[in-house]
Amino acid sequence: MGSTEYTKMAVNSTNDRAWSGCAVLFLRCCNPGSDLLTFYKDKHGKFSVFKVIKLTLTDVAGGLDGYEILKLHDADPFLGVELKFMDALPCKRFLDSYACGSLLQFLSQHASRLLTLPDGVAMEAVLKAGTHILDHDLKNTELCLQHIYQSQPVRLRDDEVTQLEQQLQNSYAPPVQTPQEVPKNCFLFQKRMFDDRPLTSADQQRFAAHVGRDWKRVGRALQKNCRALKGTAIDNLAYEYEREGLYEQAYQLLGRFIQSEGRSARLGRLISALEESKLTNMAEIMLDIQPRE
């Protein structure tokens, strides 16, 4: 059968089933005293070896999609890497890279960097599909594709590989930012830190001058943790100081809060109540934050 017919069988075999196939890549390091299998057997080295292999396969022909690693296994003195290909074209790219030596070159580069091996360390590989050693037929890509197509995987992806894949994905995730530690005498507003000082009469005046009709909303937020403002206290203030107007009502509200809570009536509690009431602009006024231009 000619090579053209093999190509047709390999690439257009979807008439029978979707194209897929399996190959086993056997790898070892030629450096005396250091080999991939030893690193793989080490608890801490296993992930590094897996990352070396994944990066190598990613570099192959500018990125290799349409494949998955099914299993890594001990094939002393080699480390066996069982690969499943889901399409003939990425499989062909893999074969081309393997045949020209670029796969081993990438493997050496990543192993030197991640496994602390000497630069340019020599690597050896053997590629098999079933009982066929594909190294003997690399000049005949179509024949190699056919052998891989005929070698179907006998297992699903190994649980260990799944765990290593997840670990690799997590290593690429952006680091979780540690929340800014806030001292007990401070609070955060809009990612800025402010001194959580006791409220003063000046705060009372500023609050009363700017809060307007929203003073009741702020009062309802404050009353959750202030016994003096619970029940009908806020409505009583509204009735008692109705003639004096909104300024006096708001002034008396904050005054009642300060009188009841003492030194616990702090700026941070008022700012939290304003945020809860969706009065961000009012919070900025209380903190003397200048509006952005």
Side-chain angles (χ1 to χ4, degrees), residues 81-131:
V81 183
E82 188 171 337
L83 299 169
K84 177 184 176 181
F85 295 95
M86 282 77 83
D87 191 273
L89 294 180
C91 187
K92 183 179 184 302
R93 293 206 309 271
F94 170 83
L95 288 169
D96 291 343
S97 178
Y98 181 80
C100 73
S102 63
L103 187 146
L104 287 183
Q105 183 179 356
F106 287 129
L107 180 68
S108 175
Q109 291 173 356
H110 292 301
S112 297
R113 181 170 59 88
L114 296 176
L115 302 178
T116 62
L117 295 176
D119 289 340
V121 61
M123 294 289 180
E124 181 182 351
V126 177
L127 185 62
K128 295 181 67 175
T131 59

Side-chain angles (χ1 to χ4, degrees), residues 203-224 228-257 269-270 273-279 282 286:
D203 295 320
Q204 248 185 296
Q205 294 168 14
R206 178 175 289 193
F207 175 78
H210 294 91
V211 73
R213 296 183 179 278
D214 292 317
W215 72 270
K216 276 191 176 183
R217 289 169 57 191
V218 181
R220 309 250 181 242
L222 287 173
Q223 76 176 177
K224 295 178 182 179
L229 296 179
K230 290 186 180 297
T232 61
I234 294 175
D235 291 333
N236 290 341
L237 282 174
Y239 176 77
E240 186 175 351
Y241 295 97
E242 184 177 8
R243 291 185 178 181
E244 287 82 355
L246 295 174
Y247 178 95
E248 190 63 27
Q249 289 172 326
Y251 186 87
Q252 291 297 329
L253 169 74
L254 203 54
R256 185 75 59 89
F257 176 70
R269 291 178 67 181
L270 176 59
L274 290 168
E275 287 187 287
E276 183 179 331
S277 305
K278 311 299 183 188
L279 298 174
M282 184 64 202
M286 295 303 302

